[in-house]
C-alpha cells in the first residue's frame, strides 16, 4: 500500500494514537478529513518561537506531531497522507521555517526505527515544494539568525548529503558564504570531518579548503566513499590531492604516522598506513579522474623506473630486441634529466657496460657524474662518441629458429596516406567478389602501456592469401578526414559475413578498434568472426585434435599465438618487436615484418586446422560456426573511459540536412547503388522503388557512374570512398551516404532523406532480381503444369540460358548479416501484374507460352525454388517475372513484417 492513500483504510499504530488523541480527532478518522473544526491545530502547540534552538529545545507538542508523522510513514511511506499532514502542519505554524528545524531535529535524533535520513529527506523535500508557492508570505521569518541555526544543525546532525542540499536551498545559506565557511571550520576543529565535507559541497565552496582540512582525515578514518563524493564535484580538490600524495612519496616511511598526529586524527584505515598504500590510492585517483602524469612527477618517475627494469629484463632475456628496448627506454625517459641518470645507474647495477655507455653518451651526461666503473670504461674509448654508433651483437647470439613469413616483402603494403587507402579500397572492392577472397587474418598493434597513460591503436593488419596490408593510424590523421574510408572498410570487411575474419584473442583488438576508429556501431563479433584461440581449444578438448608438433603426453599451453605457431609448424614466432614503439613514423622493417606475420600466420593456422579436420572427419565448418556464434562480447554497457586520445578526433555525423522538402511517392525516384549495397537495392525494390546496380567492372569508373546518373536522372546511394568520389560531382540532394550497417536502418535512412512515403500497394511491386515491374499471376494448378514442363525440358536437354535463381543469387551476394530473412522472404507477392486463368486458351494466349517454360519476353521460367508439394494448396498464387523468369509466391507474413519495419500498420 505504500504511496497510496485510502481514506477508509487509515489506522495509526495504537501507541501513537494514544499519545495523539489529546491533540486531535479520534483515531478512526481519516487524516484527509481533518479540516475545519476537526483539523489538528498545530498553532496551539506553541511552535515557531524564535527563542527555541533546534539543537537545545524541541517542544513536547512537536515531539507528538513527529510521532504521528512517523506512524504515517510506517504505514504509507511517502504518500498523499504524509504530504497533506505536513502541509497542514507547516500552514498552521506561526513560523514554518522554525517548525521545520524542530521537526527535523526530532526525526534525525530518532534512529531506532531505521531509515531516519530517508524520512528527514522526504520532510525537507515536501517543505521545499510547499514553501516555493508561499515564499512571499513567510520570507520575513527567514532571518540571518535562522539561517545560521539551520546550518549549525546540518553540521551537528548525521544528515545525508541530499537532505543537506535541500536544507541549504530552503534557508538560502549560500547568501552568507563567509559566515558559513567559519561554521565549517569550527566543525573541523570538533573533528566533524564528514559533516564539514558535505556542508562545503552543498555550498559549492569545497575549493576554499585544503587537502588537510577534511580530505586526508577522511582517508585516515576509512571514509573513502565520502572522499569520492567530494572529488567528483571538484577538479581543484582532485589535482590538489594528487599533488599532496605525490609529495608524500619522497618523505620518510613513517610520514603518515606523523601526519595523523599533526592532524589529530586516529588512524582507523589499514589501507592508508604506509607509502605503498599511498601509491595505490594515488594511482587509483589518477586513473579514475584522468589526472595527467605531469601533476604527479614522483609516482610517474617510479612507474617509469619499474617499466625500464621490466623492459631491460626482457631485453636481457632476448624477448625484446635491442632496437625495441632502446625505443621504449627513450619513450619512458623523455626529457627527464633525473630519469636519464637513473637509467644509466640501473644499467650499471645490472652490469651491462655497453648499454650504460651508449645512454650516457646519448644523453651527454658529464662523465664526472657517472659511476666510477663507467668512468674507467670510458678511458678505454678512443672516441667519446664511438659508443653510440657501435653495433651490439646481442641478437646474433640467439640461435633460436623462428617461423618466417612465406610472402615476399613486395606483397606487404603500408597504408599511410589517403592515396594508398583509396587504392586499397578500389582493389579490394574488385577482389572481394572477383578473386573470391573469403578468409582474412586480422591483427592490431599499439604501444605498450608502461605508465598510467593509455595507448591508442597504432596499426591494423589485414592479411589475404597473397597480400598483407598494414594501416598505420598515426599517419592516417586527422582521423575525421578518413571517416568515409574507414566506413567503407568496415562495411566491406567487418560487416561482410561472407568473409571470415580470423583473430587471436580478438576481444582485446576489437575493443581497441572500436575506441579508435572514427565510426560508430562497428560489427566486430558474431557471424563472420572466429577467434583462432577459441577454435584451437574447442578442437582439442571436444574432438581430441592433435597438432603436428604437439606431444600428446604434455599439457597443451593456451598462452600465446607463438605457442600455437610452434605446435603447428615447429618454430615459434619471433616476438622481439612486440614491446616496441608502434607509433614511430615510419615503422622499422623488422616491425613491419613482425606485424605482417602476426596477421598472416592466422591464415596458415586456419588452413592447417581445416586440412587436418577433413582428414580426421571432424565437421570443421560446424565447429567454426559454433565458435563464431558463441563469440559474443559482454552485453553490458561499457564503462566510460577517461582516456585522452592522442590521435583520435571526436566522431561527427556526416549526414547533412535533407534538401528535399516535399513528400513523394515511390514512383518519383530512381536510384543507383554500387553492388556492395546489393541487399539495400533488393529491399528498395521490395518497397517498389526503381533501383539499379552499378556493374562490378564499373565500380571504380567514377566518370561512367556520374554520366549514368546525369543521363538517366538517377539518385546515387553509396557509402565511404565510393560515395565521396561521386558526390563531389553531383549537386546536393542527388546522392546520399548511408550511415548504418543494419539493412532496415539503411532503408529508413534513404526514405527519410528523400522524403519518400511507401504505401501498402507499393510493397513487392518490383522484382528483387532484375528490377522489372512486369509480372504474370498464375494459379496453383497452372504453376504445376509449368513446373512439370520445365522439369521435362531440363531432363531432355541442357538449357543454354537460365537467369540466376533466387537461391543462387542470395548465396553469392548475401553479406549483410543483420538481415533477418525468413524462409519465404525471397518469395514475396508482387503487386503489379496481369492475372491469368488456368482455363484452356487460344494459341496466342500468354498461357500457352508460359506452359512451354518461357515468359512472354522469352526468359526461361526458373522453378528451382519450387517443390512439388507446394501445389497442394489450391488457393496459392504464383508470380512470374516476365523479364528474368524468377518465380515468387504469396507471403503475407513477410509483407506485414516489411510494412512494420517501415512504420506501416496492417489489419
Amino acid at each position: 500500500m505504500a504511496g497510496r492513500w485510502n481514506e477508509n483504510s487509515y489506522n495509526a499504530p495504537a501507541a501513537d494514537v494514544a499519545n495523539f488523541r489529546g491533540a486531535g480527532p479520534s483515531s478512526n478518522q481519516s487524516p484527509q478529513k481533518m479540516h475545519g473544526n476537526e483539523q489538528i491545530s498545530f498553532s496551539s502547540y506553541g511552535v515557531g518561537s524564535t527563542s527555541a534552538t533546534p539543537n537545545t529545545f524541541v517542544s513536547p507538542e512537536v515531539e507528538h506531531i513527529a510521532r504521528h508523522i512517523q506512524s504515517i510513514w510506517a504505514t504509507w511511506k511517502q504518500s498523499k497522507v504524509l504530504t497533506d499532514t505536513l502541509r497542514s502542519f507547516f500552514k498552521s505554524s506561526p513560523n514554518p521555517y522554525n517548525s521545520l528545524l524542530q521537526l527535523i531535529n526530532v526525526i534525525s535524533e530518532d534512529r531506532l526505527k531505521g531509515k531516519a535520513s530517508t524520512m528527514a529527506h522526504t520532510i525537507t523535500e515536501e517543505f521545499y515544494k510547499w514553501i516555493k508557492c508561499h515564499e512571499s508570505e513567510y520570507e520575513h521569518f527567514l532571518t540571518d539568525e535562522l539561517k545560521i541555526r539551520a546550518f549549525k544543525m546540518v553540521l551537528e546532525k548525521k544528515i545525508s548529503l541530499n537532505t543537506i542540499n535541500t536544507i541549504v536551498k530552503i534557508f538560502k545559506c549560500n547568501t552568507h558564504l563567509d559566515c558559513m565557511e567559519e561554521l565549517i571550520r569550527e566543525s573541523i576543529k570538533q573533528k566533524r570531518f564528514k559533516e564539514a565535507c558535505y556542508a562545503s559541497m552543498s555550498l559549492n565552496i569545497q575549493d576554499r579548503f585544503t587537502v588537510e582540512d577534511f580530505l586526508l582525515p577522511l582517508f585516515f578514518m576509512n571514509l573513502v566513499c565520502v572522499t569520492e563524493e567530494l572529488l567528483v564535484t571538484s577538479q581543484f580538490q582532485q589535482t590538489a590531492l594528487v599533488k599532496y600524495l605525490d609529495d608524500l612519496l619522497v618523505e620518510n616511511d613513517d610520514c603518515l604516522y606523523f601526519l595523523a598526529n599533526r592532524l589529530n586524527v586516529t588512524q582507523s584505515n589499514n589501507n592508508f598506513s604506509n607509502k605503498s598504500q599511498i601509491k595505490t590510492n594515488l594511482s587509483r585517483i589518477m586513473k579514475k579522474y584522468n589526472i595527467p602524469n605531469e601533476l604527479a612527477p614522483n609516482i610517474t618517475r617510479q612507474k617509469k623506473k619499474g617499466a625500464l627494469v621490466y623492459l631491460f629484463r626482457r631485453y636481457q632475456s632476448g624477448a625484446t630486441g635491442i632496437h625495441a628496448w632502446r625505443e621504449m627506454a627513450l619513450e619512458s625517459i623523455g626529457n627527464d634529466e633525473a630519469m636519464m641518470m637513473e637509467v644509466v645507474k640501473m644499467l650499471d647495477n645490472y652490469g651491462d657496460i655497453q648499454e650504460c655507455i651508449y645512454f650516457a653518451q646519448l644523453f651527454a651526461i658529464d662523465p664526472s657524474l657517472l659511476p666510477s666503473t663507467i668512468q674507467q670504461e670510458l678511458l678505454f674509448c678512443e672516441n667519446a662518441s664511438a659508443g653510440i654508433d657501435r653495433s651490439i651483437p646481442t641478437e646474433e647470439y640467439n640461435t633460436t629458429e623462428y617461423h618466417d613469413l612465406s610472402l615476399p616483402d613486395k606483397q606487404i603494403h603500408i597504408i599511410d596516406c589517403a592515396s594508398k587507402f583509396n587504392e586499397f579500397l578500389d582493389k579490394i572492392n574488385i577482389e572481394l567478389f572477383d578473386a573470391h577472397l573469403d578468409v582474412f587474418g586480422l591483427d592490431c598493434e599499439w604501444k605498450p602501456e608502461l605508465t598510467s597513460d593509455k595507448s591508442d591503436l597504432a596499426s591494423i593488419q589485414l592479411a589475404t592469401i597473397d597480400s598483407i596490408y598494414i594501416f598505420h593510424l598515426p599517419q592516417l590523421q586527422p582521423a575525421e578526414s578518413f571517416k568515409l574510408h574507414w566506413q567503407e572498410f568496415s562495411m566491406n570487411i567487418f560487416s561482410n559475413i561472407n568473409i571470415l575474419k580470423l583473430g587471436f584473442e580478438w576481444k582485446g583488438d576489437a575493443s581497441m578498434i572500436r575506441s579508435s576508429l572514427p565510426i560508430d556501431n562497428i560489427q566486430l563479433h558474431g557471424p563472420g568472426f572466429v577467434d583462432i584461440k577459441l577454435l584451437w581449444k574447442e578442437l582439442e578438448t571436444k574432438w581430441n585434435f592433435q597438432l603436428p608438433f604437439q606431444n600428446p603426453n604434455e599439457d597443451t599451453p593456451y598462452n600465446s599465438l607463438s605457442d600455437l605457431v610452434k605446435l603447428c609448424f615447429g618454430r615459434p614466432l619471433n616476438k622481439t618487436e612486440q614491446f616496441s614503439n608502434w607509433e614511430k613514423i615510419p615503422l622499422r622493417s623488422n616491425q613491419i615484418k613482425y606485424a605482417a606475420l602476426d596477421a598472416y600466420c592466422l591464415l596458415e593456422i586456419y588452413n592447417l586446422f581445416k586440412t587436418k579436420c577433413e582428414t580426421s572427419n571432424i565437421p570443421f565448418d560446424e565447429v567454426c560456426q559454433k565458435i563464431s556464434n558463441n563469440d559474443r562480447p559482454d552485453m553490458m554497457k561499457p564503462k566510460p573511459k577517461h582516456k585522452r586520445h592522442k590521435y583520435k578526433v571526436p566522431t561527427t555525423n556526416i549526414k547533412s540536412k535533407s534538401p528535399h522538402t516535399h513528400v513523394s511517392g515511390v514512383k518519383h525516384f530512381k536510384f543507383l547503388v554500387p553492388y556492395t549495397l546489393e541487399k539495400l537495392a533488393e529491399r528498395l525494390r521490395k518497397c517498389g522503388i526503381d533501383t539499379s546496380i552499378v556493374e562490378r567492372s564499373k565500380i571504380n569508373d567514377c566518370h561512367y557512374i556520374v554520366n549514368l546518373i546525369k543521363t538517366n536522372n538517377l539518385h546515387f546511394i553509396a557509402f565511404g570512398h565510393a560515395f565521396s568520389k561521386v558526390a563531389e560531382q553531383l549537386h546536393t540532394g542527388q546522392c546520399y551516404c548511408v550511415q548504418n550497417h543494419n539493412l532496415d536502418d539503411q532503408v529508413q535512412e534513404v526514405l527519410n532523406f528523400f522524403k519518400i512515403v511507401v504505401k501498402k500497394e507499393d510493397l513487392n511491386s518490383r522484382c528483387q532480381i532484375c528490377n522489372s515491374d512486369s509480372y504474370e499471376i498464375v494459379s496453383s494448378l497452372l504453376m504445376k503444369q509449368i513446373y512439370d514442363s520445365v522439369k521435362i525440358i531440363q531432363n531432355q536437354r541442357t538449357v543454354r540460358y537460365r537467369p540466376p535463381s533466387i537461391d543462387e543469387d542470395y548465396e553469392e551476394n548475401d553479406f549483410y548479416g543483420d538481415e533477418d530473412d525468413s524462409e519465404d522472404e525471397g518469395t514475396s507477392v508482387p503487386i503489379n501484374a496481369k492475372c491469368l486463368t488456368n482455363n484452356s486458351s487460344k494459341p496466342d494466349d500468354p498461357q500457352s507460352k508460359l506452359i512451354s517454360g518461357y515468359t512472354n519476353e522469352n526468359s526461361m521460367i526458373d522453378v528451382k525454388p519450387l517443390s512439388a508439394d507446394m501445389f497442394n494448396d489450391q488457393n496459392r498464387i504464383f508470380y512470374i517475372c516476365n523479364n528474368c523468369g524468377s518465380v515468387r509466391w504469396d507471403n503475407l507474413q513477410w509483407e506485414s513484417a516489411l510494412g512494420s519495419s517501415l512504420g506501416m500498420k496492417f489489419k
Side-chain angles (χ1 to χ4, degrees):
M1 291 181 61
R4 294 185 179 274
W5 162 246
N6 185 341
E7 65 177 12
N8 298 319
S9 60
Y10 172 72
N11 288 294
D16 290 333
V17 171
N19 293 331
F20 197 71
R21 279 178 180 169
S26 60
S27 62
N28 60 355
Q29 287 181 305
S30 167
Q32 195 175 20
K33 295 183 179 180
M34 295 179 184
H35 300 292
N37 295 330
E38 296 181 351
Q39 181 177 348
I40 300 177
S41 179
F42 295 106
S43 61
S44 64
Y45 299 143
V47 298
S49 172
T50 57
S51 61
T53 63
N55 304 328
T56 59
F57 172 77
V58 175
S59 67
E61 292 82 358
V62 171
E63 291 187 359
H64 282 296
I65 296 168
R67 299 294 175 261
H68 177 60
I69 291 174
Q70 287 175 326
S71 68
I72 295 175
W73 180 269
T75 306
W76 286 289
K77 304 297 181 188
Q78 188 173 355
S79 60
K80 188 176 185 300
V81 179
L82 181 63
T83 299
D84 291 344
T85 303
L86 287 172
R87 292 190 175 185
S88 181
F89 168 53
F90 299 143
K91 186 176 181 181
S92 303
S93 301
N95 185 341
Y97 289 101
N98 191 58
S99 300
L100 173 66
L101 291 181
Q102 294 194 46
L103 185 58
I104 294 300
N105 192 59
V106 175
I107 296 298
S108 61
E109 289 292 341
D110 185 7
R111 311 191 67 82
L112 298 178
K113 293 182 179 294
K115 295 186 180 294
S117 61
T118 304
M119 193 190 310
H121 180 66
T122 302
I123 293 172
T124 55
E125 284 291 331
E126 290 293 342
F127 184 89
Y128 181 66
K129 295 175 184 177
W130 175 78
I131 199 63
K132 283 198 302 184
C133 301
H134 304 86
E135 198 167 11
S136 59
E137 303 176 29
Y138 299 99
E139 61 182 354
H140 60 283
F141 288 112
L142 195 57
T143 63
D144 292 346
E145 179 188 357
L146 197 60
K147 294 178 182 180
I148 293 174
R149 287 170 52 201
F151 201 71
K152 281 185 176 180
M153 186 185 73
V154 163
L155 292 168
E156 294 175 4
K157 301 295 181 182
K158 295 182 178 180
I159 303 176
S160 68
L161 178 59
N162 289 336
T163 306
I164 293 175
N165 289 334
T166 306
I167 292 175
V168 167
K169 288 190 297 184
I170 291 172
F171 290 89
K172 300 181 180 179
C173 298
N174 57 354
T175 58
H176 297 76
L177 292 180
D178 293 338
C179 179
M180 302 307 170
E181 180 184 345
E182 290 301 319
L183 293 177
I184 294 175
R185 295 193 181 279
E186 186 63 31
S187 183
I188 292 174
K189 293 179 181 179
Q190 299 173 7
K191 298 184 180 182
R192 297 180 179 273
F193 302 111
K194 177 180 177 181
E195 291 76 10
C197 179
Y198 281 165
S200 69
M201 293 167 60
S202 66
L203 294 174
N204 196 26
I205 59 172
Q206 57 269 53
D207 293 355
R208 295 190 180 191
F209 298 89
T210 67
V211 169
E212 292 186 352
D213 284 332
F214 40 70
L215 258 179
L216 286 176
L218 289 171
F219 269 104
F220 284 120
M221 296 168 62
N222 203 23
L223 294 176
V224 180
C225 58
V226 182
T227 67
E228 293 294 342
E229 290 181 275
L230 173 67
L231 292 173
V232 167
T233 65
S234 174
Q235 186 177 0
F236 171 82
Q237 291 287 358
Q238 294 171 12
T239 55
L241 180 61
V242 165
K243 292 179 180 179
Y244 192 98
L245 295 179
D246 187 64
D247 289 340
L248 287 178
L249 292 178
V250 296
E251 298 290 337
N252 297 328
D253 291 338
D254 53 358
C255 60
L256 286 178
Y257 171 78
F258 291 107
L259 177 61
N261 288 340
R262 181 164 62 82
L263 298 177
N264 196 18
V265 181
T266 303
Q267 285 184 281
S268 59
N269 186 357
N270 293 328
N271 294 322
F272 196 70
S273 58
N274 56 57
K275 292 176 67 173
S276 175
Q277 290 160 354
I278 294 177
K279 186 176 179 180
T280 300
N281 282 279
L282 179 56
S283 298
R284 176 181 59 83
I285 294 170
M286 292 181 66
K287 181 178 180 180
K288 182 171 184 178
Y289 299 108
N290 196 28
I291 306 296
N293 288 330
E294 293 76 15
L295 295 180
N298 295 319
I299 191 173
T300 301
R301 189 172 290 114
Q302 290 185 14
K303 289 181 177 179
K304 287 182 177 179
K305 289 180 184 178
L308 286 170
V309 171
Y310 173 75
L311 288 170
F312 183 73
R313 287 177 177 173
R314 284 184 57 91
Y315 161 66
Q316 275 193 323
S317 66
T320 298
I322 186 171
H323 297 292
W325 142 249
R326 288 177 174 178
E327 281 177 358
M328 294 308 299
L330 292 176
E331 183 74 15
S332 296
I333 295 169
N335 297 322
D336 191 334
E337 294 183 0
M339 283 300 300
M340 295 177 184
M341 182 60 70
E342 286 291 339
V343 72
V344 171
K345 292 180 180 179
M346 179 197 75
L347 293 170
D348 179 53
N349 292 334
Y350 279 97
D352 195 326
I353 304 300
Q354 287 184 318
E355 282 298 284
C356 187
I357 294 175
Y358 170 83
F359 281 100
Q361 294 179 341
L362 183 66
F363 298 141
I365 298 176
D366 186 350
S368 63
L369 301 177
L370 297 174
S372 57
T373 54
I374 304 303
Q375 294 183 34
Q376 294 175 5
E377 187 69 23
L378 284 173
L379 295 176
F380 296 99
C381 296
E382 296 180 357
N383 190 325
S385 62
I388 298 179
D389 300 325
R390 179 172 30 184
S391 61
I392 300 178
T394 306
E395 295 174 319
E396 296 180 4
Y397 297 145
N398 192 341
T399 58
T400 304
E401 294 185 355
Y402 295 106
H403 182 67
D404 292 328
L405 181 65
S406 58
L407 292 181
D409 292 349
K410 65 179 181 180
Q411 296 302 105
I412 303 175
H413 308 281
I414 308 298
I415 310 299
D416 54 9
C417 61
S419 61
K420 292 182 180 179
F421 211 147
N422 292 338
E423 291 175 6
F424 164 80
L425 292 174
D426 290 341
K427 180 181 179 182
I428 208 71
N429 280 335
I430 300 297
E431 290 185 348
L432 282 177
F433 298 94
D434 293 344
H436 305 289
L437 297 177
D438 56 357
V439 184
F440 285 171
L442 273 174
D443 190 50
C444 298
E445 302 295 342
W446 55 89
K447 187 172 65 176
E449 298 175 358
L450 300 178
T451 61
S452 57
D453 285 340
K454 296 294 182 181
S455 296
D456 292 304
L457 183 65
S459 75
I460 299 176
Q461 300 94 258
L462 178 71
T464 68
I465 197 63
D466 57 5
S467 297
I468 302 171
Y469 303 92
I470 299 177
F471 298 82
H472 197 218
L473 272 65
Q475 294 176 269
L476 299 176
Q477 299 299 322
E480 192 68 13
S481 299
F482 292 88
K483 181 168 184 175
L484 290 176
H485 295 78
W486 286 118
Q487 185 190 43
E488 185 167 354
F489 180 98
S490 176
M491 286 190 173
N492 279 347
I493 296 175
F494 291 147
S495 297
N496 190 342
I497 65 170
N498 285 345
I499 297 176
L500 185 62
K501 280 77 65 177
L502 307 174
F504 191 89
E505 294 183 332
W506 175 245
K507 287 185 179 180
D509 292 344
S511 177
M512 290 296 291
I513 292 174
R514 190 175 286 108
S515 63
S516 299
L517 293 189
I519 52 178
D520 300 323
N521 304 319
I522 307 178
Q523 184 73 18
L524 295 173
H525 66 275
F529 288 88
V530 168
D531 191 321
I532 289 293
K533 185 173 183 178
L534 300 179
L535 179 61
W536 173 24
K537 186 175 182 180
E538 177 75 13
L539 289 172
E540 188 187 58
T541 56
K542 301 294 179 62
W543 298 92
N544 195 27
F545 187 77
Q546 295 292 315
L547 295 171
F549 293 89
Q550 180 177 350
N551 188 340
N553 298 323
E554 296 180 358
D555 292 335
T556 304
Y558 294 102
N559 297 327
S560 66
L561 179 60
S562 182
D563 293 333
L564 179 55
V565 170
K566 183 176 182 180
L567 294 175
C568 290
F569 309 111
R571 297 177 180 179
L573 293 175
N574 186 344
K575 307 297 285 186
T576 56
E577 293 294 339
Q578 182 180 25
F579 277 74
S580 61
N581 186 1
W582 290 100
E583 296 176 3
K584 180 181 175 63
I585 299 176
L587 294 172
R588 289 180 285 102
S589 60
N590 285 347
Q591 287 180 300
I592 293 173
K593 291 180 180 179
Y594 170 89
L597 182 55
D598 259 16
Y600 191 77
C601 71
L602 298 175
L603 294 175
E604 297 177 308
I605 295 170
Y606 175 83
N607 291 330
L608 176 68
F609 282 4
K610 185 174 183 179
T611 301
K612 285 189 65 65
C613 285
E614 290 174 353
T615 58
S616 303
N617 295 323
I618 299 176
F620 181 71
D621 292 338
E622 294 180 12
V623 177
C624 288
Q625 185 176 7
K626 177 183 176 182
I627 296 299
S628 180
N629 292 334
N630 292 337
D631 183 19
R632 291 289 193 273
D634 189 356
M635 298 308 292
M636 296 178 64
K637 292 183 179 180
K639 296 180 180 179
K641 296 181 179 179
H642 301 282
K643 182 175 179 180
R644 291 174 285 114
H645 287 285
K646 193 171 183 179
Y647 301 114
K648 180 181 175 183
V649 176
T651 60
T652 58
N653 196 334
I654 64 174
K655 290 188 293 186
S656 58
K657 185 178 179 181
S658 174
H660 301 278
T661 56
H662 300 291
V663 177
S664 305
V666 299
K667 304 298 183 183
H668 291 80
F669 283 93
K670 294 181 179 181
F671 290 136
L672 179 69
V673 303
Y675 68 87
T676 49
L677 287 177
E678 191 169 21
K679 281 298 178 183
L680 175 60
E682 293 180 7
R683 185 61 62 87
L684 292 175
R685 290 168 179 174
K686 293 175 185 178
C687 295
I689 303 175
D690 187 341
T691 308
S692 304
I693 300 175
V694 180
E695 301 175 22
R696 294 177 183 175
S697 60
K698 300 291 186 179
I699 187 62
N700 294 325
D701 191 342
C702 182
H703 177 74
Y704 166 81
I705 295 175
V706 172
N707 184 62
L708 188 64
I709 293 172
K710 293 180 178 179
T711 302
N712 297 279
N713 192 25
L714 305 177
H715 288 77
F716 188 59
I717 302 172
F719 60 84
H721 177 56
F723 167 81
S724 61
K725 290 190 299 183
V726 176
E728 60 187 15
Q729 302 186 47
L730 301 175
H731 62 73
T732 303
Q734 198 172 1
C735 54
Y736 179 73
C737 180
V738 295
Q739 303 293 301
N740 290 282
H741 293 200
N742 181 275
L743 190 53
D744 286 334
D745 292 338
Q746 290 177 353
V747 175
Q748 201 63 58
E749 281 182 50
V750 172
L751 298 181
N752 291 340
F753 182 82
F754 292 99
K755 299 292 189 299
I756 300 175
V757 175
V758 180
K759 300 180 180 179
K760 183 177 180 180
E761 57 266 25
D762 297 326
L763 300 181
N764 301 303
S765 57
R766 284 189 171 274
C767 176
Q768 300 171 38
I769 306 301
C770 68
N771 197 35
S772 170
D773 59 355
S774 174
Y775 285 91
E776 300 292 346
I777 304 178
V778 300
S779 66
S780 180
L781 181 59
L782 180 56
M783 193 69 236
K784 177 67 166 61
Q785 298 177 27
I786 298 171
Y787 177 82
D788 292 338
S789 298
V790 173
K791 287 296 183 182
I792 292 173
I793 296 173
Q794 290 176 343
N795 291 334
Q796 289 179 346
R797 62 183 176 84
T798 302
V799 180
R800 293 184 179 179
Y801 167 75
R802 180 175 64 84
S805 69
I806 298 174
D807 287 350
E808 289 175 335
D809 186 72
Y810 275 25
E811 181 179 355
E812 181 182 0
N813 299 311
D814 183 12
F815 66 91
Y816 279 97
D818 47 24
E819 182 177 13
D820 186 15
D821 294 341
S822 62
E823 181 181 356
D824 287 348
E825 181 180 8
T827 59
S828 310
V829 184
I831 304 300
N832 300 336
K834 180 175 62 176
C835 186
L836 298 178
T837 63
N838 58 346
N839 298 327
S840 59
S841 56
K842 299 177 182 179
D844 57 349
D845 196 315
Q847 174 180 328
S848 58
K849 180 81 170 180
L850 294 174
I851 293 178
S852 68
Y854 289 88
T855 68
N856 294 327
E857 298 182 15
N858 295 322
S859 294
M860 184 162 222
I861 299 174
D862 179 20
V863 298
K864 183 178 179 180
L866 307 178
S867 59
D869 57 351
M870 296 179 65
F871 310 117
N872 296 333
D873 184 358
Q874 298 297 323
N875 296 321
R876 173 167 284 169
I877 303 298
F878 293 85
Y879 302 80
I880 304 174
C881 175
N882 279 319
N883 185 58
C884 67
S886 60
V887 179
R888 303 172 186 272
W889 56 93
D890 55 320
N891 187 354
L892 298 179
Q893 182 179 3
W894 186 90
E895 182 178 305
S896 177
L898 174 60
S900 298
S901 69
L902 300 175
M904 303 171 61
K905 296 182 179 180
F906 286 78
K907 297 182 179 179

